[in-house]
Amino acid sequence: MNMQQQGGQASMNFPQPPDILSTKDFLYIEDMLSWNLEVIKKAHAYAAMCQDQDVIQAMNRTCQLHIRQYQTILNHLGKHVQAATTAGGTAR
């Protein structure tokens, strides 16, 4: 961990993210999941309301993109929880 003094404030540069997630990190991750879920629901609803096949396909692609993003976030969390459990930590 490198600490540099810049303009009276210390900044930390991490070569990789720390092994712990703070409460703030979890809240932000929860927000990201909520944002993706909201887009999934809206894209699905818009696709159901449309008659234009191009718009339906675009909404379905949007839906799939955000489903993949949602799964990526969940997989990342799962790996973190699994690593914490394996290391003897507690997963909350």
Side-chain angles (χ1 to χ4, degrees), residues 1-2 5 7-8 13-14 24 28 33 37-40 42 47 54 56 64 66-68 74 76 78 86 89:
M1 172 174 18
N2 298 328
Q5 197 73 8
N13 296 322
F14 295 99
K24 186 175 181 178
Y28 187 69
L33 289 169
L37 187 57
E38 184 68 23
V39 172
I40 292 165
K42 285 184 178 185
D54 291 336
I56 292 170
Q64 291 303 312
H66 286 279
I67 288 171
R68 284 192 306 273
L74 286 179
H76 179 71
T86 303

Side-chain angles (χ1 to χ4, degrees), residues 2-13:
N2 298 328
M3 298 231 344
Q4 298 174 344
Q5 197 73 8
Q6 295 177 344
Q9 297 180 357
S11 70
M12 289 191 236
N13 296 322

Side-chain angles (χ1 to χ4, degrees), residues 46-61:
Y46 293 151
M49 290 188 285
C50 288
Q51 301 298 320
D52 185 333
Q53 287 302 311
D54 291 336
V55 174
I56 292 170
Q57 288 176 358
M59 290 297 102
N60 287 336
R61 285 192 307 270

Side-chain angles (χ1 to χ4, degrees), residues 65-83:
L65 174 101
H66 286 279
I67 288 171
R68 284 192 306 273
Q69 185 64 27
Y70 191 92
Q71 287 294 63
T72 299
I73 295 166
L74 286 179
N75 290 340
H76 179 71
L77 282 177
K79 289 176 187 175
H80 182 77
V81 169
Q82 184 180 16

